[in-house]
């Protein structure tokens, strides 16, 4: 393997969290000029992945070893596979993605999304009638079944589970919800679809959170903006242990493996050992998206079991894995003068 290909494999592993063999297989199969982390192949796939990322960010109730409970992602143009850490995390993901509604008729989850295939270690979720799919893998079929049962226990009585009552067709309630909230003639919907590449691109690089930085918790939400998609990610990082959170911003700015973003604003202390917050704002030249990374260096919460905390510490990355732009360099890119 040539040095350049070796480096490409190493970098892909940082972005996806894949094992060496998986990353090398993908790099070996790359057509000339193709990006090492491919984008979604269709607008429908891109839109689904953006919805999935938002679901992962907005509904966080479980602490496990990996920030989202996803140990690795396997992106290809036709879809993306998430390797899920545990039954508990699998139940949480299914709970937040599969469509259901309460007595008021409000639809939660992704309308039209169904479990369409079950294999030995993975399940496939598709939006019915659309070329959009998501694979969840990493657990035996029996555990996926038990994760579904665990997820069902989370729902209160009176909730309608559309993915169970209508496994092969959209329900009228889902169609009505789609018509109301996903009307492509609506300005807000057009903006969100135009900027869906950001959520999709981040989902396909989810490994960064635990390969180049010492992240132990992430959540976030979609912020308000008129003509851009504004996405806010809030992350907690281990104080004084492992690489700092600015490694994530630096990796996203990489011209080959990152996303087409530039640093718009940066606030925070430049001393990596200092336990202050850092705030990065990244945007694209076309002004379709705005990504805010709000990072905090802190001790773990008291409710985090000590055994789990030790497991988190054991998976912290080597500081030499990635050579990032320093905080002061990032600040300088914004035209700021920062003292070291």
């Amino acid at each position: 393997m040539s040095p350049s290909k070796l480096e490409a494999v190493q970098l892909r592993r940082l972005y996806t969290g894949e094992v060496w063999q998986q990353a090398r297989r993908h790099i070996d199969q790359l057509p000339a000029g193709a990006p090492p982390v491919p984008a979604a192949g269709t607008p429908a796939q891109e839109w689904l992945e953006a919805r999935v990322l938002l679901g992962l960010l907005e509904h966080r109730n479980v602490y496990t070893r990996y920030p989202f409970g996803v140990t690795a992602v396997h992106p290809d143009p036709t879809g993306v596979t998430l390797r899920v850490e545990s039954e508990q995390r699998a139940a949480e993901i299914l709970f937040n993605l599969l469509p259901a509604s309460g007595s008021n008729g409000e639809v939660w989850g992704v309308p039209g999304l169904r479990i369409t295939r079950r294999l030995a270690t993975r399940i496939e979720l598709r939006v019915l009638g659309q070329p959009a799919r998501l694979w969840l893998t990493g657990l035996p079929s029996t555990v996926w079944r038990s994760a579904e049962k665990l997820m069902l226990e989370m729902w209160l009585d009176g909730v309608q589970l559309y993915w169970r009552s209508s496994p092969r067709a959209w329900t009228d309630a889902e169609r009505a919800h789609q018509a109301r909230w996903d009307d492509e003639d609506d300005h807000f919907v057009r903006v969100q679809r135009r900027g869906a590449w950001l959520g999709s691109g981040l989902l396909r690089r989810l490994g960064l959170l635990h390969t180049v930085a010492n992240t132990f918790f992430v959540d976030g939400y979609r912020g308000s903006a008129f003509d851009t998609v504004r996405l806010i990610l809030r992350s907690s990082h281990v104080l004084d242990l492992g690489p700092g959170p600015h490694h994530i911003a630096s990796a996203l700015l990489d011209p080959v493996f990152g996303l087409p973003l530039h640093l718009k604003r940066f606030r925070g202390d430049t001393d990596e050992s200092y336990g202050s917050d850092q705030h990065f704002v990244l945007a694209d030249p076309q002004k379709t998206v705005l990504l805010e990374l709000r990072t905090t260096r802190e001790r773990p919460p008291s409710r985090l079991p000590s055994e789990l905390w030790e497991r988190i510490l054991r998976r912290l990355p080597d500081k030499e894995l990635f050579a990032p732009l320093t905080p002061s360099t990032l600040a300088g890119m914004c035209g700021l003068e920062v003292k070291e």
Side-chain angles (χ1 to χ4, degrees):
M1 186 182 296
S2 65
S4 59
K5 183 173 287 190
L6 177 64
E7 181 181 349
V9 173
Q10 291 173 326
L11 283 172
R12 171 156 169 129
R13 291 187 64 210
L14 293 180
Y15 283 80
T16 64
E18 294 169 314
V19 298
W20 177 269
Q21 293 88 342
Q22 290 171 320
R24 177 173 179 174
R25 189 182 311 120
H26 176 86
I27 295 298
D28 285 343
Q29 296 172 352
L30 273 182
V37 180
T42 66
Q45 181 67 36
E46 189 177 73
W47 183 237
L48 172 62
E49 292 175 13
R51 295 287 300 274
V52 169
L53 179 78
L54 196 61
L56 292 176
L57 286 172
E58 290 185 335
H59 305 284
R60 304 300 319 287
N61 300 302
V62 180
Y63 277 110
T64 54
R65 186 179 181 189
Y66 293 86
F68 286 116
V70 175
T71 64
V73 295
H74 313 302
D76 64 62
T78 63
V80 66
T81 300
L82 307 183
R83 179 169 291 275
V84 182
E85 181 180 5
S86 66
E87 176 186 349
Q88 191 180 27
R89 285 294 203 178
E92 182 183 59
I93 291 171
L94 292 174
F95 181 85
N96 293 320
L97 294 183
L98 292 172
S101 76
S103 57
N104 61 359
E106 180 184 359
V107 176
W108 308 307
V110 180
L113 189 67
R114 301 292 189 270
I115 299 175
T116 53
R117 294 181 68 188
R118 303 173 188 274
L119 301 179
T121 60
R122 60 179 179 163
I123 60 175
E124 180 191 58
L125 287 79
R126 280 184 177 267
V127 178
L128 297 176
Q130 296 182 11
R133 69 175 185 176
L134 170 73
W135 284 101
L136 300 177
T137 189
L139 304 172
S141 59
T142 54
V143 178
W144 282 114
R145 289 287 188 180
S146 61
E148 288 180 44
K149 292 179 181 179
L150 179 61
M151 179 260 291
L152 291 173
E153 295 173 1
M154 300 179 189
W155 288 112
L156 301 175
D157 292 339
V159 172
Q160 300 181 60
L161 306 176
Y162 298 131
W163 61 277
R164 296 195 79 195
S165 62
S166 182
R168 295 180 178 83
W170 286 57
T171 63
D172 291 341
E174 289 174 288
R175 293 189 184 281
H177 179 91
Q178 188 82 346
R180 180 180 181 185
W181 299 107
D182 200 20
D183 181 0
E184 295 191 23
D185 290 331
D186 181 81
H187 175 79
F188 176 79
V189 173
R190 291 199 305 270
V191 168
Q192 295 302 312
R193 285 190 172 272
R194 185 181 63 184
W197 64 267
L198 175 62
S200 174
L202 289 173
L203 186 72
R204 289 167 172 258
R205 293 162 175 81
L206 212 58
L208 285 175
L209 294 173
H210 64 262
T211 61
V212 304
N214 50 22
T215 316
F216 68 88
F217 185 78
V218 180
D219 69 1
Y221 57 94
R222 184 170 59 192
S224 59
F226 184 71
D227 285 322
T228 61
V229 169
R230 180 168 171 252
L231 194 61
I232 294 91
L233 272 65
R234 301 177 299 195
S235 60
S236 298
H237 300 263
V238 185
L239 182 64
D240 298 335
L241 288 172
H246 63 278
H247 288 229
I248 299 173
S250 178
L252 289 175
L253 295 172
D254 185 87
V256 177
F257 284 81
L259 293 170
L261 299 167
H262 64 268
L263 191 63
K264 189 173 182 180
R265 291 195 301 276
F266 167 76
R267 291 199 300 258
D269 197 283
T270 60
D271 182 358
E272 240 190 297
S273 65
Y274 186 73
S276 66
D277 296 350
Q278 293 180 340
H279 185 186
F280 308 88
V281 179
L282 288 73
D284 68 312
Q286 288 73 37
K287 299 181 179 180
T288 64
V289 301
L290 202 64
L291 174 63
E292 296 187 33
L293 303 177
R294 301 177 182 178
T295 69
T296 302
R297 298 173 71 86
E298 58 187 355
R299 298 294 181 185
S302 58
R303 66 182 181 274
L304 195 67
S306 58
E307 181 181 350
L308 174 57
W309 180 239
E310 289 301 319
R311 292 176 63 204
I312 290 173
L313 293 181
R314 285 198 297 270
R315 67 122 176 95
L316 289 182
D318 185 334
K319 195 167 186 175
E320 300 304 318
L321 277 176
F322 190 71
L325 301 174
T326 65
S328 57
T329 302
L330 289 171
M333 292 171 64
C334 300
L336 304 174
E337 291 186 3
V338 181
K339 295 181 179 180
E340 292 285 2

